[in-house]
Amino acid sequence: MVLLVQRTKQMANAIELLKAAATTGVIVGQSPLDIFYGKLAAQIKLAGEVKDGKQINTRSLWFRKDAQGYVVRIGRNAFEIAGSKLFRAADLDAVVVVLNAAKEAIQADKKLQDAIALHSLERSERLKKGRAKAK
């Protein structure tokens, strides 16, 4: 019985600690655009790893192999750039070129930057609502 009371107190202390440390704000001072650029850099790195023959989880890739080479989307949900959401690349080197070109296009386009920030905010709100329903 004493052990059960101690475990209950430990659990209560752990929950209080987690509540005190919880945050829904910006982590490490990164804006949604900074986070997106980080993900873009990660995709470029993953393209290099695929080229080197490393086994990776393909679900997280923004590029997919098909019969003619690769189809590339910019972002998980494919942002529209230059009138298109999908881009063709002949090989993995071309995938990197497309991803780098997308970064340059985003840096030069305030409307696209705003769309990325809005998408991030909307996704965050959807996730918060989902977590609230689960409680």
Side-chain angles (χ1 to χ4, degrees), residues 54-70:
K54 292 185 180 178
Q55 294 295 323
I56 58 171
N57 180 0
T58 58
R59 288 189 68 210
S60 62
L61 295 179
W62 293 358
F63 53 93
R64 299 267 187 256
K65 185 156 181 51
D66 71 1
Q68 290 106 16
Y70 289 86

Side-chain angles (χ1 to χ4, degrees), residues 95-116:
V95 168
V96 171
V97 170
V98 168
L99 292 171
N100 280 320
K103 181 178 181 182
E104 290 177 24
I106 293 166
Q107 289 172 331
D109 188 343
K110 179 70 170 124
K111 277 179 58 176
L112 187 52
Q113 292 172 15
D114 291 344
I116 290 168

Side-chain angles (χ1 to χ4, degrees), residues 2-52:
V2 172
L3 184 60
L4 181 60
V5 170
Q6 287 176 337
R7 294 287 289 158
T8 303
K9 285 182 181 179
Q10 286 175 339
M11 179 71 83
N13 288 341
I15 290 174
E16 289 305 314
L17 174 72
L18 291 171
K19 284 181 181 178
T23 182
T24 57
V26 176
I27 306 294
V28 193
Q30 288 188 319
S31 72
L33 206 52
D34 292 334
I35 293 167
F36 189 83
Y37 288 143
K39 291 178 180 182
L40 192 55
Q43 291 297 314
I44 291 169
K45 181 179 177 197
L46 288 169
E49 290 177 5
V50 170
K51 186 176 179 180
D52 292 342

